[in-house]
């Protein structure tokens, strides 16, 4: 009997085979990394699409108030305006904080004395 195992075939009658069909091939780290990066890119694209859709919706909610500022006296229009403003400002603030933290981390790494 012969069983597939990775890129080669293992015989069930092989005396060195401890388990039938045992795979002696090392893990393919490059393939694992490639699939991991594919998943990361797909999630990044999904997040980017959500941010773009949210920004477009926010712009459509903000535009009437910018055209007629007297709408801010109405509670519903005011609530929509500030909610849309927050939807636009939140990703920008998060991106800014991440950039600041990454820059700080790089500076700390560069300022450490090397042994």
């Amino acid at each position: 009997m012969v069983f597939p195992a990775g890129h080669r075939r293992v015989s069930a009658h092989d005396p060195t085979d401890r388990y039938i069909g045992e795979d002696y091939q090392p893990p393919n780290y490059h393939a694992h990394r490639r699939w991991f990066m594919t998943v990361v890119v797909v999630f990044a694209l999904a997040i980017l699409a959500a941010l773009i859709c949210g920004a477009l919706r926010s712009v459509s909610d903000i535009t009437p108030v910018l055209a007629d500022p007297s709408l801010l006296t109405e509670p519903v229009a005011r609530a929509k305006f500030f909610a849309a403003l927050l939807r636009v400002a939140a990703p920008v603030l998060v991106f800014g904080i991440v950039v600041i933290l990454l820059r700080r981390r790089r500076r700390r790494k560069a300022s450490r004395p090397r042994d």
Side-chain angles (χ1 to χ4, degrees), residues 22-105:
E22 184 176 356
D23 188 4
Y24 288 103
Q25 298 293 323
N28 190 346
Y29 293 112
H30 295 291
H32 295 174
R33 174 113 176 123
R34 209 170 30 245
W35 276 107
F36 174 74
M37 292 310 294
T38 302
V39 169
V40 168
V41 167
V42 166
F43 273 98
L45 290 174
I47 290 170
L48 185 65
L51 287 174
I52 290 171
C53 290
L56 291 175
R57 181 175 172 204
S58 298
V59 168
S60 69
D61 286 348
I62 289 174
T63 335
V65 174
L66 293 178
D68 186 16
S70 65
L71 287 175
L72 283 177
T73 58
E74 298 175 17
V76 174
R78 190 176 348 156
K80 275 180 92 172
F81 174 75
F82 286 116
L85 201 60
L86 183 62
R87 275 196 308 262
V88 170
V92 172
L93 289 174
V94 168
F95 179 73
I97 290 170
V98 167
V99 167
I100 289 170
L101 290 176
L102 288 175
R103 288 179 70 191
R104 176 187 272 178
R105 185 174 175 204

